[in-house]
Amino acid sequence: MTVTDQPAAAQPKIRVVLVGLMIAMMLAMLDNMIVSTSLPIIVREFDGLDHFTWVVTAYVLGTTVSTPLWGKLGDLYGRKSVFLTSIVVFLVGSALSGMAGSSMLGGPADGMFQLIGFRAVQGLGAGGLIVGVMAIIGDLVPPRERGRYQGMMAGVMAVAMVAGPLLGGFIADHLSWRWAFYINLPLGGIALLVLITQMHLPKYRTEHKIDWLGAGLLSVGITALVLITTWGGNEYAWTSPQIFGLIALAVVSLAIFALVERRAAEPILPLGLFKNRNFALISAVGFLLGFAMFGAMNFLPIFQQYVQGASATGSGLLLLPLMFGMLIVSILSGRAITRTGRYRVYPIIGGAIMTVGMVLLTLLDAHTSRFELGAYLVVLGVGMGFLMQTSMLIAQNSVEQRDLGAASGAATFFRSIGGSFGISLFGAVFATRFQHELTDKLGAQAADQFSGGGGAGTFDPAVLAGLPAAARDGLLASLADSIAGVFWWAVAFAVLVPVLAWFVKEIPLRGSNEVSPKATPEEQAERALADAPAVP
């Protein structure tokens, strides 16, 4: 691999490029959360309570299966063109999601299934956005200084996690839920304009061969695993032929994937990365973080709107304590890492605090006040603030520069797959527990009426207000207890985060002029080019 000559004047103005990258990251994270407050309205319009978790799962699954591919494509073809392509794919998926169930696409009869499919397209693009942002920052900024910038990105993620439900709630209350997707188009256009005109990355000439077989096998295996957690005990019994068939498909496809990756010239997910202890540990931490965080977070707006009586906009505002905790800690920890070069302690502290936050959320019931919930969310946000970008920094610092895209893609992949599994598993746990709680409190007949697809309209506030007091109280208590049960499952996974982080070895972060001893001459030339001073 050789680096083409590039004048110093072409070096990126990092602050300007950072604006475009922050918009792109905001888009990817925003759409992971913006739909949550609109889901009740979408469910009522399409009568799709049985499939509502798939609106989120499809997006996360698309993100999960695509991140290793985007990361490797960036390593091989250059990150700029690949990143811009991912933005276009994301915007196409956004436009189609906004059109789901419209008269142009045949009306609302198949609206829920159309939305799920288009959300998967959105997720494919989002995978490129997330891994591209992290890899580009890795190209532009040396590890020692990267904590500050990745802390800023974690801050963007924190804002998106709250701005998503808040903006989604405002749109749901005052506009059509479709604008939750259409709003991406002008924002994405701005990001494209900034990055096309201002981002200039080193160009490469390399012999490359995409590992399409590995990508396909990985996608099949991951999809089968998600279907197992989604359908097991819900659509099909755990001992049913369908579930056993999916288990066999997952095992066989992933086993063949491992064999293919060992022989592939350019593996989509280089298995050699996992020989590095830090990379393997932080990948597991990322999986557990995604599992606990994304899997459980999607149920908070449901609790706030139905149990606490908040509007869609109000449920977004009630998540502000989470944002403040995560935003402040992300920025401060990023600056501390840049100043001291020390990072090992942060995922340990973050994992412990996040676990405490999840334990507090298991206390939710029909009488939990908004102040109590806000206090619980501050604790959760502080824990997540210590974890979000520190895990990416450790993953990138564990590999050579030539594997930066693959490492960023793998780290994002494990966090995304954790979220995908979490959403699927927690959705199944919620559905099963809700049925059980309703049966205990209101009887089997009421449970069948309120928890089935035909009961979607029951959650309309006007319908809830018209129910007899005993039925309404039993329904809301069942809902609250079911959501609290989901957080108990989240605790079981969150508690492993600080345990794994304890075994991370603190390797000094490279400075701007330092190159790994194992770096090739080409990588040294690449580092020298990246460190060349920009001409104003």
Side-chain angles (χ1 to χ4, degrees):
M1 179 177 66
T2 59
V3 183
T4 60
D5 293 333
Q6 184 172 321
Q11 294 300 312
K13 300 181 179 70
I14 291 182
R15 292 186 178 180
V16 178
V17 173
L18 191 63
V19 172
L21 295 178
M22 289 172 72
I23 294 174
M25 177 63 79
M26 176 69 78
L27 288 174
M29 294 303 300
L30 197 67
D31 261 71
N32 204 14
M33 307 300 297
I34 195 171
V35 179
S36 58
T37 44
S38 298
L39 272 178
I41 296 174
I42 296 172
V43 165
R44 290 198 298 269
E45 181 171 331
F46 294 146
D47 193 21
L49 185 64
D50 288 347
H51 307 289
F52 87 96
T53 57
W54 271 101
V55 177
V56 180
T57 300
Y59 182 84
V60 178
L61 184 59
T63 303
T64 301
V65 300
S66 66
T67 46
L69 182 59
W70 287 115
K72 195 62 181 180
L73 287 173
D75 283 343
L76 297 178
Y77 290 101
R79 273 182 255 287
K80 180 175 180 178
S81 58
V82 171
F83 186 61
L84 295 178
T85 300
S86 69
I87 295 178
V88 173
V89 173
F90 179 84
L91 295 180
V92 170
S94 297
L96 290 173
S97 294
M99 296 168 61
S102 65
S103 57
M104 295 179 61
L105 297 179
D110 296 321
M112 183 61 80
F113 297 103
Q114 291 176 3
L115 180 58
I116 290 170
F118 296 148
R119 285 279 285 169
V121 175
Q122 245 195 328
L124 292 175
L129 297 184
I130 297 172
V131 69
V133 166
M134 295 306 171
I136 288 169
I137 290 177
D139 273 342
L140 299 179
V141 184
R144 180 61 185 266
E145 301 171 22
R146 207 174 291 162
R148 178 175 59 198
Y149 291 96
Q150 292 191 337
M152 293 172 65
M153 285 299 168
V156 170
M157 296 170 72
V159 171
M161 290 184 68
V162 177
L166 179 59
L167 182 59
F170 178 84
I171 289 171
D173 284 343
H174 302 286
L175 300 170
S176 166
W177 60 265
R178 300 179 187 278
W179 281 98
F181 303 107
Y182 292 150
I183 195 173
N184 294 329
L185 303 182
L187 292 174
I190 293 172
L192 278 173
L193 178 63
V194 169
L195 296 174
I196 288 173
T197 59
Q198 299 297 321
M199 185 169 69
H200 306 285
L201 299 176
K203 298 179 180 179
Y204 307 98
R205 291 195 302 268
T206 180
E207 296 296 327
H208 44 68
K209 182 179 180 181
I210 299 299
D211 179 21
W212 295 112
L213 178 58
L217 288 168
L218 181 62
S219 299
V220 170
I222 296 304
T223 301
L225 288 174
V226 171
L227 288 175
I228 292 168
T229 58
T230 302
W231 288 344
N234 187 17
E235 296 286 334
Y236 304 103
W238 286 106
T239 56
S240 66
Q242 291 87 347
I243 298 300
F244 278 128
L246 287 171
I247 293 173
L249 178 62
V251 171
V252 171
S253 57
L254 293 177
I256 298 176
F257 167 76
L259 295 175
V260 168
E261 295 304 275
R262 291 180 181 276
R263 294 178 172 83
E266 294 286 351
I268 202 69
L269 186 62
L271 300 182
L273 294 178
F274 297 97
K275 295 179 181 178
N276 183 295
R277 186 178 74 173
N278 274 11
F279 186 84
L281 285 170
I282 213 64
S283 295
V285 166
F287 175 86
L288 294 169
L289 174 62
F291 199 109
M293 181 179 66
F294 292 117
M297 286 291 296
N298 283 283
F299 291 91
L300 285 175
I302 296 175
F303 178 84
Q304 291 162 334
Q305 290 185 44
Y306 294 137
V307 180
Q308 295 188 322
S311 65
T313 304
S315 67
L317 289 171
L318 291 173
L319 290 175
L320 284 176
L322 176 74
M323 182 196 74
F324 286 130
M326 185 175 172
L327 178 62
I328 293 171
V329 172
S330 296
I331 294 174
L332 292 179
S333 61
R335 290 183 177 275
I337 291 172
T338 297
R339 185 177 66 255
T340 66
R342 307 298 295 270
Y343 55 81
R344 175 178 174 268
V345 67
Y346 296 113
I348 298 172
I349 295 174
I353 296 176
M354 184 181 76
T355 302
V356 172
M358 290 294 184
V359 170
L360 290 173
L361 288 170
T362 65
L363 303 177
L364 295 178
D365 59 31
H367 305 292
T368 300
S369 69
R370 296 182 182 183
F371 177 80
E372 288 176 298
L373 178 57
Y376 300 162
L377 292 180
V378 169
V379 176
L380 182 63
V382 168
M384 289 163 54
F386 279 116
L387 280 163
M388 290 297 290
Q389 293 312 302
T390 309
S391 57
M392 178 64 73
L393 176 64
I394 295 172
Q396 291 182 341
N397 194 55
S398 301
V399 302
E400 304 296 342
Q401 189 73 17
R402 65 175 178 268
D403 292 322
L404 189 65
S408 301
T412 306
F413 166 78
F414 283 104
R415 185 184 299 174
S416 296
I417 193 176
S420 183
F421 285 178
I423 291 169
S424 300
L425 179 61
F426 293 159
V429 168
F430 170 78
T432 301
R433 179 150 182 163
F434 188 43
Q435 177 83 18
H436 178 74
E437 293 287 343
L438 282 172
T439 301
D440 283 350
K441 291 179 173 64
L442 298 176
Q445 183 176 356
D448 291 338
Q449 176 186 353
F450 292 148
S451 64
T458 303
F459 292 96
D460 187 306
V463 176
L464 276 174
L467 290 175
R472 182 176 64 252
D473 292 345
L475 181 64
L476 296 182
S478 298
L479 190 63
D481 292 345
S482 300
I483 292 173
V486 167
F487 284 105
W488 272 119
W489 279 79
V491 169
F493 292 92
V495 73
L496 297 175
V497 171
V499 175
L500 292 175
W502 181 267
F503 295 98
V504 169
K505 181 180 179 181
E506 191 155 64
I507 300 172
L509 298 174
R510 295 190 297 272
S512 59
N513 295 317
E514 296 178 78
V515 183
S516 169
K518 297 181 181 179
T520 64
E522 290 82 0
E523 289 172 334
Q524 295 180 30
E526 180 183 338
R527 172 56 63 195
L529 179 61
D531 290 338
V535 177

